[in-house]
Amino acid sequence: MTETILANAMLVLPEGVRPGHLLLRDGLIAEIGAGRAVPKGALDCEGDLLAPGLIELHTDNLERHIEPRPKVAWPHADAIIAHDAELCSVGITTVFDALRVGSIGTSGRSDYREYARALADEILQMRARDGFRISHYLHLRAEICSETLLDELAKFGPEDRVGIVSLMDHTPGARQFRDLSKLRDYVRKKHGLSEAEFLAHVEQEKALRARHGAAHEAGAVAAARRLGAALASHDDTTPEHVAVSRAHGVRFAEFPTTFEAAQACRDHGIAVMMGAPNLIRGGSHSGNVAAQALAEADLLDILSSDYVPGALLSAALLLGDIWGDVARGLSTVTAAPAQAVGLGDRGRIVPGLRADLIRAHRVERTAVLRGVWVRGRRVG
């Protein structure tokens, strides 16, 4: 039996923030105490916040480590470990690693080939060898505008820790990139395309949607059920998009692009997830609805770090400022994402749940991390 006492902390509990201590035993939260006393042998948290570990449902961070520069392939084992360490360093204790499923073999683009199954194997092997500091699940991003989606999905089974399947429809002129000028800027800069190549890309994506869209969407929905994964929509823009999501059984909406779509999600009982960078920057880089506007309208439930892991904790505290409720702000990166994907064993400071915890304090608007525990073991 192993025990740790974290004392003199401001505990972020489901009902609010109050001073107290935690007793951790054998990887679980065993006891919650009140007051500022520091028992003998306890770690004095010096009045810092002690909150559940952060839960990240959608991050592109692993891709950045695998390809640190355009056309530079980094060894996958090293990249996976670096990704794990970076997330741990910013307080993320559970991550759903996003992998694209659905490739295009006829375009000649080397960056759009199949990779998900092989990389998933490497992630799962690293986990089996106890190579991680934090908890890893898989998030399969099902690209509707592709050629091989159904074949790639068929390679995954219930044993693969797939926690999320998201419906990714990147048809030009719809959803995230309704404004083709925004898509032009993004695609040409990222892939170095000429104008003629960009226009060919647009036509190819539209043709793929027309040829495969209905079958791919239905197949991805069926795959989520087969895998026991939460189904997510992506970039819902209209109430009609949300109605389709509801019919599919979507649990949460990733980055709805309009106020109307977010309101429709609320009306249909679908949780709304927005990007922490959107909140911190004060708006969307794609010109879509601002996360703060949704927060102020009570239409924001979950935050994702998206492409900046370090944004997650600071953004949650910023939401606490907006709402005047620190516990509610932090619930968007702890309890709410846990509930969205059915992880009932974490995300709250409650006796009997996993002792996944972070210790932090604020320097103006920035969150400074002072400790990370996973299953009661200090990992950062």
Side-chain angles (χ1 to χ4, degrees):
M1 181 173 67
T2 59
E3 289 189 345
T4 301
I5 300 174
L6 306 177
N8 187 23
M10 295 301 294
L11 304 179
V12 182
L13 303 174
E15 65 273 16
V17 180
R18 64 174 173 82
H21 71 264
L22 297 180
L23 171 63
L24 316 181
R25 180 183 297 130
D26 293 339
L28 303 177
I29 298 168
E31 178 185 299
I32 301 173
R36 296 186 179 276
V38 181
K40 184 178 179 179
L43 173 65
D44 186 352
C45 292
E46 302 176 327
D48 289 342
L49 288 172
L50 194 59
L54 311 185
I55 298 173
E56 174 56 71
L57 301 186
H58 175 120
T59 174
D60 302 330
N61 192 59
L62 179 55
E63 295 178 0
R64 182 171 62 82
H65 284 281
I66 286 173
E67 189 178 358
R69 291 286 187 272
K71 299 182 180 179
V72 173
W74 204 248
H76 285 185
D78 292 345
I80 291 167
I81 287 298
H83 162 66
D84 173 80
E86 181 180 1
L87 298 190
C88 178
S89 76
V90 296
I92 294 169
T93 56
T94 299
V95 62
F96 288 73
D97 293 317
L99 307 177
R100 170 180 53 78
V101 282
S103 307
I104 303 173
T106 58
S107 67
R109 276 178 53 186
S110 61
D111 63 323
Y112 225 76
R113 294 174 182 167
E114 180 180 353
Y115 75 97
R117 178 66 265 181
L119 184 56
D121 286 340
E122 294 182 90
I123 293 169
L124 295 172
Q125 288 165 9
M126 188 66 71
R127 176 180 179 272
R129 294 169 180 166
D130 197 27
F132 290 140
R133 302 185 193 189
I134 69 172
S135 181
H136 288 253
Y137 292 84
L138 301 182
H139 172 171
L140 301 183
R141 303 180 66 185
E143 287 289 351
I144 303 302
C145 298
S146 67
E147 295 171 335
T148 64
L149 176 59
L150 301 185
D151 290 340
E152 291 188 42
L153 285 171
K155 297 176 182 180
F156 288 86
E159 70 282 1
D160 286 319
R161 289 175 66 86
V162 178
I164 302 169
V165 174
S166 57
L167 303 174
M168 311 291 293
D169 185 351
H170 287 122
T171 307
R175 295 183 181 258
Q176 180 183 6
F177 289 112
R178 290 176 294 162
D179 184 344
L180 282 180
S181 67
K182 296 284 187 182
L183 179 63
R184 176 181 283 104
D185 292 343
Y186 177 78
V187 171
R188 291 192 62 182
K189 181 177 180 181
K190 182 176 181 179
H191 299 293
L193 302 185
S194 67
E195 177 64 13
E197 289 170 329
F198 168 72
L199 293 175
H201 165 77
V202 168
E203 292 309 310
Q204 180 187 51
E205 293 287 293
K206 289 181 176 180
L208 287 170
R209 184 65 174 87
R211 189 180 313 127
H212 301 297
H216 281 182
E217 194 166 319
V221 172
R225 295 195 190 103
R226 176 176 60 82
L227 296 169
L231 185 67
S233 61
H234 193 79
D235 296 331
D236 287 333
T237 300
T238 67
E240 291 74 20
H241 287 158
V242 178
V244 172
S245 295
R246 182 193 183 194
H248 286 327
V250 162
R251 292 193 203 173
F252 65 97
E254 299 183 318
F255 320 131
T257 66
T258 64
F259 187 94
E260 293 76 17
Q263 182 62 62
C265 287
R266 177 57 50 82
D267 294 342
H268 289 308
I270 298 172
V272 171
M273 184 172 85
M274 294 297 287
N278 181 322
L279 185 69
I280 290 175
R281 293 178 66 252
S284 163
H285 73 278
S286 300
N288 297 317
V289 69
Q292 183 165 340
L294 296 187
E296 291 171 345
D298 194 25
L299 294 174
L300 194 160
D301 303 297
I302 301 169
L303 283 176
S304 162
S305 68
D306 197 7
Y307 56 94
V308 184
L312 198 57
L313 179 55
S314 292
L317 291 171
L318 179 55
L319 277 183
D321 295 340
I322 292 170
W323 289 330
D325 186 338
V326 172
R328 183 185 176 195
L330 283 167
S331 74
T332 64
V333 296
T334 56
Q339 181 179 14
V341 295
L343 289 180
D345 64 345
R346 69 197 76 187
R348 294 169 294 142
I349 294 181
V350 173
L353 297 194
R354 282 173 57 121
D356 292 357
L357 301 160
I358 61 170
R359 173 189 171 190
H361 76 289
R362 298 183 76 174
V363 177
E364 299 177 352
R365 287 166 55 97
T366 300
V368 179
L369 206 64
R370 286 185 159 179
V372 181
W373 290 261
V374 172
R375 288 191 176 274
R377 180 171 65 95
R378 187 160 188 172
V379 294

